[in-house]
Amino acid sequence: MMDFLKKAMDWALEKEAEAAKGCHADPKDIDKQIEMIEAKREALKKRYEEEDAEFAHILTKLKLIKAESMKCHNSNK
């Protein structure tokens, strides 16, 4: 599905580029598209950073738990 969407977007961008070359594309419309994509990209970056921070937090806790567990296993030998 993602491959289809990528191809569809590439096709649409090619048509937009052709329209721009033929002076049929309004720069204001393109500015709106750029702003929309930049906003979506920023939202995606923020979500990624928040989720990455949560994974880092979980990993830190798991490593501490493992260290405690290793103390028990090393002292039993």
Side-chain angles (χ1 to χ4, degrees):
M1 184 66 173
M2 288 302 293
D3 191 46
F4 170 77
L5 292 175
K6 183 182 179 315
K7 287 180 182 179
M9 182 55 69
D10 287 343
W11 179 84
L13 291 171
E14 284 178 28
K15 296 301 174 190
E16 188 93 29
E18 289 173 12
K21 287 179 186 174
C23 299
H24 301 293
D26 186 349
K28 291 179 184 176
D29 290 338
I30 298 169
D31 279 338
K32 289 177 188 175
Q33 292 174 10
I34 290 169
E35 289 172 9
M36 181 184 69
I37 295 299
E38 285 176 341
K40 287 184 179 189
R41 185 179 187 200
E42 285 303 312
L44 184 62
K45 279 183 183 180
K46 182 179 180 193
R47 194 174 104 210
Y48 166 79
E49 289 169 358
E50 289 170 353
E51 290 181 10
D52 185 54
E54 184 60 28
F55 278 115
H57 174 72
I58 292 167
L59 283 170
T60 299
K61 287 202 172 251
L62 284 170
K63 288 176 183 179
L64 289 171
I65 292 167
K66 180 183 176 185
E68 286 296 318
S69 176
M70 294 297 289
K71 288 179 189 176
C72 297
H73 287 282
N74 289 338
S75 66
N76 290 337
K77 290 183 180 182

